[in-house]
Amino acid sequence: MADSPYESPPQPIKSSSNSSPESSSFAIIEPNYDDSAKVKQSVPRRLWNSFKRDPSAHATPVGTLGANGKIFDLEGAAQATANTTLARKLKGRHLQMIAIGGSIGTGLFVGSGKALSNGGPAALLIGYSFIGIMLYCTVHALGEMAVLFPVAGSFSAYSTRFLDPAWGFAMGWNYCLQWLIALPLEIVAAAITVKYWHSPVSPAAWVAVFLVLIISINFFGVRAYGEAEFVFSIIKVIAVIGFIILGIILNIGGGEHGSYIGGKYWHNPGAFNNGFKGVCSVFVTASFAFAGTELVGLAAAETANPRKSLPTAVKQVFWRICLFYIVSLTLVGLLVPFNDTRLIGQSSADAAASPFVIAIHNASIQGLDSVMNVVIMIAVLSVGNSSIYGSSRTLTALAEQKQAPQIFSYIDRNGRPVFSIMLSSAFGFLAFLAASSSEDKAFLWMQALSGLSSIFTWGSICLAHIRFRRAWRLQGHDLDDLAFRSQAGVIGSWIGLIFNGLVLIAQFWIGFSPPRPNTGEPLKSTAELIESFFQAYLAVPIVLLCFVTYKIYFKTSIMHCRNMDLKTGIRELNLAELKEEERLEMATWPKWKRAYKLFC
């Protein structure tokens, strides 16, 4: 392999006629660097060679034409994303922890405090449940397509193939920009968490430390990313479960003061704040909290066995939504009143504004607040780690489809998109703006660039799934031919699409008319309202500009269902044999395991 101490000419791996369907049918053929004239190499030489281009990597496979003038080569784009040479080193446990802990971050630990302050405990549950249902439907739709087509770029590639190449271009750059901007924001947020302990060290020094850590993890390859996320997610999951247990104890009177709390904060100050507008503001906050859930689909192209690993990871989204969000936020609403002024934090990573930390403070538990701050810092670093992964893989897929400069299609012998990782890492140095006087303005507008990116991505996934299912039926295929079928089905995709549209409408309204703050501050002036609206909706004109410009230049058209390519990159599995084996295995399971496997 690429890290072997011996170098030899690359030889393609031939698929034998008697190999199993799982091993021989997939389109990707990885090069073999072993078995020939073996020459011992030094460690520096092996390290240098690992960064050389993989000789089997082509932006467009040999024998097919690329984009010709102003004509978008849709077949070439599909082939390129299907034949990517990204390393397939993510295992089932990596994918499961990415799915379970991928979006447990500051949106839950800190952002939920702002949502509680704006809407009240009942609105908090309604808003997060609403977005949770939407994400459940969306991730299942994504899982169905990703198991069948585990291609590079995932959802942006599906938009190109099933909707319109121009929309795929807009969605790819929209998603890439979201993660490029997220990296400096999250690194600064991690530096802010250190301020909780009144550290005398300059924030710029912590920015440098965190930046080196995250960049190093990603340059070690996708396996290092998977292992880091595995550890980060375990810590976050343990923290949430620990808080749930602690919250139940505190609510029934097990704290230092020993008083029963129950549901008194739902009566005084109340269950709702700011009425329907408060509920809508929670929708917006919750949609940002769930950002990153779709990464499990992006990782499909680098998973050793997506047919087995991806359905399990997708189903576990149900548990994350129910256990980690709904249960923990129910306890937050019981333990912290919405009119607590500490909920209005100075930043998205201000641990003092976390309702989890406030609940611990109210119980007079010493030291545990610092533990929660460490968890918040780890959650922020986890998002920063994912930002390099998400932006680099999306950028590489865009380059392979000739929708980005071709240099970013470079993949080395260890399966790393080196130049894409370098560009993604370079954006992290914007975090040093934290030491400047214009920090707040700079980061508000940077955040505005990617503010609605997740909503567009999720809506596109749902619409692509609706169109894919229609094309699947019109081209004579049966639902039993699908390797994994979405539990929510097409109806779920319609629900997800409609819910995404409602969140866009809610964001429009909240941008122009934000809810009244609990701190007694005066309402914003007209100029401030206009500025806050553009900060909330800046992503919309950027997406439309990308879409319209690309559509006019390449003269692309909406894909017709009968003409959609449903063959390139598909995993041609012997489904009848695999399903029969699964059926026989399930027959031996006890009832509890059958019920568990229905959701996991």
Side-chain angles (χ1 to χ4, degrees):
M1 300 306 291
D3 56 353
S4 171
Y6 303 101
E7 183 181 43
S8 62
Q11 301 291 334
I13 298 174
K14 308 280 195 216
S15 296
S16 59
S17 58
N18 59 353
S19 60
S20 67
E22 181 69 29
S23 61
S24 64
S25 57
F26 192 61
I28 292 177
I29 301 176
E30 296 188 356
N32 179 19
Y33 299 104
D34 297 324
D35 300 331
S36 201
K38 296 185 177 180
V39 180
K40 184 69 176 179
Q41 293 181 308
S42 64
V43 173
R45 181 68 177 174
R46 286 159 52 194
L47 181 63
W48 173 260
N49 285 343
S50 73
F51 285 95
K52 290 183 178 179
R53 180 188 284 273
D54 188 329
S56 66
H58 298 278
T60 305
V62 176
T64 64
L65 295 176
N68 181 14
K70 295 184 179 180
I71 301 173
F72 179 77
D73 181 16
L74 187 61
E75 182 179 353
Q79 286 280 359
T81 53
N83 292 336
T84 180
T85 51
L86 292 170
R88 292 179 167 267
K89 295 182 179 178
L90 287 179
K91 297 182 178 180
R93 63 183 178 88
H94 297 140
L95 213 59
Q96 289 170 28
M97 292 312 295
I98 289 172
I100 292 175
S103 68
I104 298 177
T106 54
L108 173 64
F109 292 126
V110 181
S112 57
K114 178 183 178 183
L116 176 62
S117 175
N118 287 335
L124 189 69
L125 285 183
I126 293 171
Y128 275 81
S129 299
F130 181 97
I131 302 299
I133 293 170
M134 179 184 79
L135 259 296
Y136 178 78
C137 298
T138 302
V139 173
H140 269 264
L142 175 60
E144 181 178 302
M145 295 186 291
V147 170
L148 196 63
F149 304 101
V151 299
S154 190
F155 21 84
S156 64
Y158 301 145
S159 293
T160 296
R161 185 183 290 199
F162 302 134
L163 300 177
D164 186 325
W167 189 249
F169 172 80
M171 287 300 96
W173 278 105
N174 163 70
Y175 193 71
C176 184
L177 191 62
Q178 170 190 347
W179 286 117
L180 286 173
I181 296 301
L183 177 59
L185 292 174
E186 296 303 323
I187 290 176
V188 169
I192 290 173
T193 61
V194 180
K195 291 182 179 179
Y196 184 80
W197 295 293
H198 307 290
S199 171
V201 181
S202 168
W206 289 111
V207 165
V209 171
F210 295 140
L211 190 59
V212 169
L213 174 64
I214 291 174
I215 293 174
S216 299
I217 289 172
N218 281 272
F219 266 110
F220 273 107
V222 67
R223 181 68 179 270
Y225 164 76
E227 294 293 352
E229 282 303 299
F230 183 78
V231 174
F232 289 157
S233 295
I234 285 178
I235 294 172
K236 291 186 288 186
V237 167
I238 291 174
V240 173
I241 293 175
F243 176 80
I244 289 172
I245 296 172
L246 176 65
I248 293 172
I249 294 172
L250 294 177
N251 186 260
I252 61 176
E256 181 180 334
H257 304 297
S259 59
Y260 177 76
I261 299 174
K264 72 176 184 179
Y265 293 135
W266 281 60
H267 299 283
N268 182 25
F272 291 94
N273 186 30
N274 292 310
F276 183 65
K277 185 182 290 186
V279 176
C280 288
S281 71
V282 176
F283 289 160
V284 175
T285 306
S287 65
F288 295 145
F290 280 102
T293 305
E294 70 288 337
L295 276 172
V296 69
L298 192 66
E302 296 178 84
T303 304
N305 187 356
R307 163 71 179 88
K308 183 178 180 180
S309 304
L310 203 56
T312 301
V314 165
K315 289 177 183 178
Q316 287 178 348
V317 171
F318 170 82
W319 294 109
R320 184 180 66 211
I321 292 170
C322 288
L323 179 62
F324 302 134
Y325 275 88
I326 305 305
V327 175
S328 62
L329 292 178
T330 298
L331 289 167
V332 161
L334 291 172
L335 296 173
V336 182
F338 71 73
N339 60 357
D340 192 317
T341 55
R342 291 173 293 178
L343 292 171
I344 311 297
Q346 301 300 313
S347 73
S348 62
D350 185 358
S354 168
F356 294 80
V357 173
I358 292 172
I360 293 169
H361 267 303
N362 291 345
S364 302
I365 302 175
Q366 299 296 322
L368 200 55
D369 55 331
S370 290
V371 173
M372 186 57 69
N373 190 54
V374 171
V375 173
I376 293 171
M377 183 171 66
I378 290 172
V380 169
L381 291 176
S382 174
V383 176
N385 188 37
S386 296
S387 66
I388 293 185
Y389 178 81
S391 58
S392 63
R393 270 53 179 189
T394 305
L395 186 58
T396 301
L398 287 169
E400 288 180 331
Q401 297 174 87
K402 295 188 178 293
Q403 294 177 332
Q406 289 298 285
I407 190 173
F408 297 117
S409 66
Y410 183 99
I411 299 173
D412 71 8
R413 296 186 178 197
N414 277 349
R416 296 170 297 198
V418 176
F419 289 109
S420 295
I421 293 176
M422 289 173 64
L423 178 67
S424 302
S425 302
F427 268 77
F429 288 93
L430 291 173
F432 286 104
L433 284 172
S436 72
S437 58
S438 57
E439 168 197 350
D440 293 340
K441 284 287 182 183
F443 282 103
L444 276 175
W445 285 104
M446 276 172 33
Q447 197 170 23
L449 287 171
S450 58
L452 293 174
S453 295
S454 294
I455 305 300
F456 280 109
T457 298
W458 298 335
S460 297
I461 290 170
C462 293
L463 184 57
H465 181 248
I466 293 168
R467 299 272 294 158
F468 158 73
R469 275 291 190 94
R470 177 170 171 79
W472 190 256
R473 179 173 56 83
L474 290 177
Q475 294 187 25
H477 299 284
D478 192 82
L479 290 181
D480 291 333
D481 297 334
L482 294 171
F484 168 70
R485 195 188 307 180
S486 165
Q487 290 181 342
V490 176
I491 294 176
S493 293
W494 276 111
I495 291 172
L497 183 63
I498 293 170
F499 279 15
N500 275 286
L502 292 176
V503 171
L504 283 175
I505 295 172
Q507 176 74 324
F508 188 90
W509 184 30
I510 297 302
F512 258 128
S513 180
R516 184 182 295 273
N518 290 329
T519 55
E521 297 176 1
L523 295 176
K524 293 182 177 180
S525 64
T526 303
E528 289 174 329
L529 287 175
I530 293 174
E531 182 178 349
S532 68
F533 171 77
F534 278 105
Q535 286 174 353
Y537 246 72
L538 186 60
V540 176
I542 292 176
V543 168
L544 293 178
L545 179 65
C546 290
F547 172 69
V548 173
T549 303
Y550 196 88
K551 192 167 186 66
I552 292 174
Y553 187 80
F554 285 98
K555 295 181 172 59
T556 62
S557 59
I558 296 174
M559 298 303 301
H560 297 289
C561 292
R562 293 188 183 274
N563 299 329
M564 287 180 187
D565 180 6
L566 299 181
K567 295 182 179 179
T568 304
I570 197 172
R571 285 187 67 93
E572 297 287 354
L573 304 174
N574 189 342
L575 285 179
E577 182 179 331
L578 288 173
K579 288 184 177 181
E580 180 62 21
E581 290 177 1
E582 291 174 356
R583 188 186 66 79
L584 293 174
E585 183 183 0
M586 288 174 63
T588 65
W589 292 348
K591 290 183 179 180
W592 68 266
K593 190 172 183 179
R594 294 183 191 180
Y596 172 79
K597 285 294 182 180
L598 179 65
F599 297 102
C600 290

